[in-house]
Amino acid sequence: MGTQGPANSDYIPNNDDTRTAKEKAIDEWLPITSSRNAKWWYSAFHNVTAMVGAGVLGLPYAMAELGWGPGVAVLVISWVVTLYTLWQMVEMHEMVPGKRFDRYHELGQYAFGEKLGLYIVVPQQLVVEVGVNIVYMVTGGKSLQKFHYLVTDGKDFKLTYFIAIFASAHFVLSHLPNFNAISGVSLAAAVMSLSYSTVAWAASAKKGVQPDVDYSYKATTTIGKVFNFFSALGDVAFAYAGHNVVLEIQATIPSTPEKPSKGPMWKGVIVAYIIVALCYFPVALIGYYIFGNKVDDNILITLEKPTWLIAMANLFVVVHVIGSYQIYAMPVFDMIETVLVKKMNFKPTWSLRFITRNIYVAITMFIGMTFPFFGGLLSFFGGFAFAPTTYFLPCIMWLSIYKPRKFSASWCANWVCIILGVILMIVSPIGGLRTIIIQAKTYKFYS
């Protein structure tokens, strides 16, 4: 772990400073390392915005595919396991005196070696972040479409138009330079996530248990039940995906040897996780209790009345996924800009940023328009990449770096998380892929 150096001389905010003036200028330009004056509450609402995504609206549907017992167990276990792995990441951010792991892949490189760390972390992190951005293009478009439908008494337009309208906001917002610059957008998004979650469960509760409510599994065949169960596990994994940006969020908090960044960061995480619980559990449990297995993969679609309230909730979702898209896009922008400036020697200019970020937004918009299978996409990505980066990769890094004693509490806890995470990673994409195949049969491109 390295020895603790002198209190002040050894501690430099970003790696041991053997950097040239040019390298310092580049680090001050890159989105993750350019600003380090965030307060603890920035961590709270960035984490809420990253975590409480559109996935929360799919939780009642996941409950319908899991059933009461397994559903509650999966929700609670996921909350506990992901809080534990998030704590590990916050701790590991500055475990080497005088060094900060500002990016997930930098921690991966320290744990697994320069090359292997990159190969293990970067593809998974990119799948998560780009995957979330694509899914949010679809979610934002669908929520705008639903809002339009409700306020214009049933006038309908193609989903592709609404995805394009949603994307237009990002062609502007994507040019905000770093995490601190998007803190206002993120705060609005965090407030919205609490608002639409509250609308979802309160409107469900007001509706009362439906007369024909049925808590049996939707699928009639055993194979259907099994695949749906797998798929629902992916939906839950998707709902806990904030770990992919946690080190990048922590990088924005100032740090000294006396006051390391993990203090304020952890304070923010605790607040965020309380809000996560206040959003997830009521939506999942009340939504399923009221509608049973007839609930849609987005509970706001199931709730038609009162019209003004559901229209408003859909607008809240739009504002929230605008902020969430930016939170997940920022590390991707950082990766792209790092490669262009450090590896390909492009000059760190405004025009470079303008071109690359617009191209990225356009690509996610185009893919979202082409494949809007919302439910299936969630569980496919949920298992494929969210499970490793959220449930067990932090545990493997912890074991590799700290090497806890065999069969000690820490060793056992980490192995339990790893086993659960690996099972999740294997089974949920299978369910998600089957859902995509079934939905794709009836799908018309660009409809």
Side-chain angles (χ1 to χ4, degrees):
M1 288 315 309
T3 53
Q4 186 71 44
N8 302 320
S9 65
D10 185 45
Y11 201 88
I12 293 126
N14 190 31
N15 301 353
D16 40 356
D17 231 357
T18 51
R19 299 175 299 161
T20 62
K22 185 185 171 188
E23 285 168 339
K24 277 184 192 172
I26 289 171
D27 281 340
E28 278 163 21
W29 180 79
L30 288 170
I32 303 300
T33 44
S34 63
S35 179
R36 294 196 191 268
N37 55 6
K39 306 285 186 280
W40 73 265
W41 54 87
Y42 284 36
S43 147
F45 54 72
H46 282 330
N47 275 296
V48 170
T49 302
M51 193 86 67
V52 186
V56 65
L57 300 172
L59 289 177
Y61 185 78
M63 283 291 295
E65 293 183 333
L66 293 166
W68 275 118
V72 174
V74 167
L75 275 180
V76 173
I77 291 167
S78 287
W79 192 87
V80 172
V81 167
T82 57
L83 181 59
Y84 172 65
T85 55
L86 197 53
W87 169 78
Q88 289 181 312
M89 294 192 73
V90 170
E91 285 290 313
M92 289 190 283
H93 181 78
E94 289 166 303
M95 63 196 165
V96 177
K99 192 174 176 72
R100 291 181 76 169
F101 296 111
D102 294 319
R103 300 164 178 90
Y104 204 144
H105 68 81
E106 289 174 8
L107 182 60
Q109 286 174 298
Y110 183 75
F112 308 123
E114 281 292 312
K115 275 205 169 149
L116 187 62
L118 275 182
Y119 293 146
I120 290 173
V121 177
V122 171
Q124 294 189 61
Q125 202 181 1
L126 277 175
V127 166
V128 171
E129 286 159 359
V130 179
V132 166
N133 283 160
I134 294 164
V135 169
Y136 282 172
M137 278 288 178
V138 180
T139 312
K142 278 195 170 179
S143 297
L144 270 176
Q145 186 185 37
K146 182 74 174 171
F147 173 77
H148 179 265
Y149 179 83
L150 289 167
V151 296
T152 56
D153 293 328
K155 284 196 175 70
D156 223 352
F157 286 109
K158 282 183 175 183
L159 176 61
T160 38
Y161 297 153
F162 290 101
I163 293 176
I165 294 165
F166 177 77
S168 64
H170 299 293
F171 284 112
V172 178
L173 290 174
S174 292
H175 302 298
L176 291 168
N178 53 42
F179 267 120
N180 286 353
I182 59 170
S183 56
V185 181
S186 181
L187 175 61
V191 171
M192 291 301 146
S193 57
L194 194 55
S195 307
Y196 69 70
S197 300
T198 307
V199 168
W201 67 258
S204 300
K206 191 173 185 305
K207 229 174 179 162
V209 179
Q210 296 302 289
D212 57 344
V213 71
D214 181 4
Y215 301 118
S216 64
Y217 290 118
K218 249 184 197 170
T220 45
T221 60
T222 308
I223 196 150
K225 287 175 191 170
V226 171
F227 275 118
N228 285 354
F229 191 91
F230 288 171
S231 172
L233 291 174
D235 291 346
V236 175
F238 181 87
Y240 290 97
H243 295 53
N244 288 278
V245 292
V246 72
L247 292 176
E248 287 81 352
I249 292 169
Q250 193 168 345
T252 63
I253 295 176
S255 190
T256 62
E258 296 77 31
K259 280 190 173 174
S261 64
K262 67 182 180 186
M265 181 68 186
W266 182 239
K267 200 171 168 184
V269 167
I270 290 292
V271 172
Y273 255 73
I274 291 167
I275 295 170
V276 166
L278 292 174
C279 292
Y280 284 17
F281 292 103
V283 173
L285 304 177
I286 295 171
Y288 179 47
Y289 176 65
I290 300 298
F291 297 108
N293 63 16
K294 293 204 169 53
V295 73
D296 287 285
D297 65 357
N298 176 340
I299 190 168
L300 292 181
I301 294 170
T302 316
L303 290 161
E304 291 289 345
K305 298 274 186 292
T307 309
W308 66 271
L309 189 65
I310 305 309
M312 210 166 70
N314 276 286
L315 212 51
F316 291 164
V317 174
V318 173
V319 175
H320 174 257
V321 290
I322 284 173
S324 219
Y325 181 100
Q326 290 301 319
I327 290 277
Y328 280 96
M330 199 55 80
V332 183
F333 296 152
D334 184 78
M335 284 187 208
I336 295 168
E337 287 162 18
T338 301
V339 169
L340 288 174
V341 173
K342 289 190 174 178
K343 296 271 188 294
M344 298 184 178
N345 295 319
F346 278 87
K347 280 199 170 72
T349 59
W350 177 85
S351 53
L352 176 75
R353 189 164 268 176
F354 182 80
I355 294 163
T356 51
R357 294 189 180 190
N358 278 345
I359 290 170
Y360 176 77
V361 173
I363 290 168
T364 55
M365 174 183 78
F366 175 72
I367 298 171
M369 286 174 170
T370 313
F371 307 107
F373 321 122
F374 182 56
L377 279 174
L378 281 192
S379 40
F380 183 68
F381 284 127
F384 197 56
F386 293 73
T389 51
T390 304
Y391 286 78
F392 68 87
L393 203 53
C395 298
I396 295 173
M397 289 176 179
W398 188 273
L399 290 173
S400 158
I401 293 164
Y402 288 108
K403 300 183 172 53
R405 202 166 34 82
K406 258 191 187 173
F407 305 112
S408 63
S410 169
W411 188 88
C412 293
N414 283 301
W415 274 107
V416 168
C417 295
I418 290 167
I419 291 161
L420 290 173
V422 170
I423 293 169
L424 189 60
M425 180 184 75
I426 293 166
V427 301
S428 56
I430 299 169
L433 194 59
R434 178 175 176 269
T435 310
I436 292 171
I437 291 164
I438 290 168
Q439 289 178 347
K441 282 179 187 170
T442 56
Y443 180 68
K444 292 185 186 74
F445 282 99
Y446 305 108
S447 55

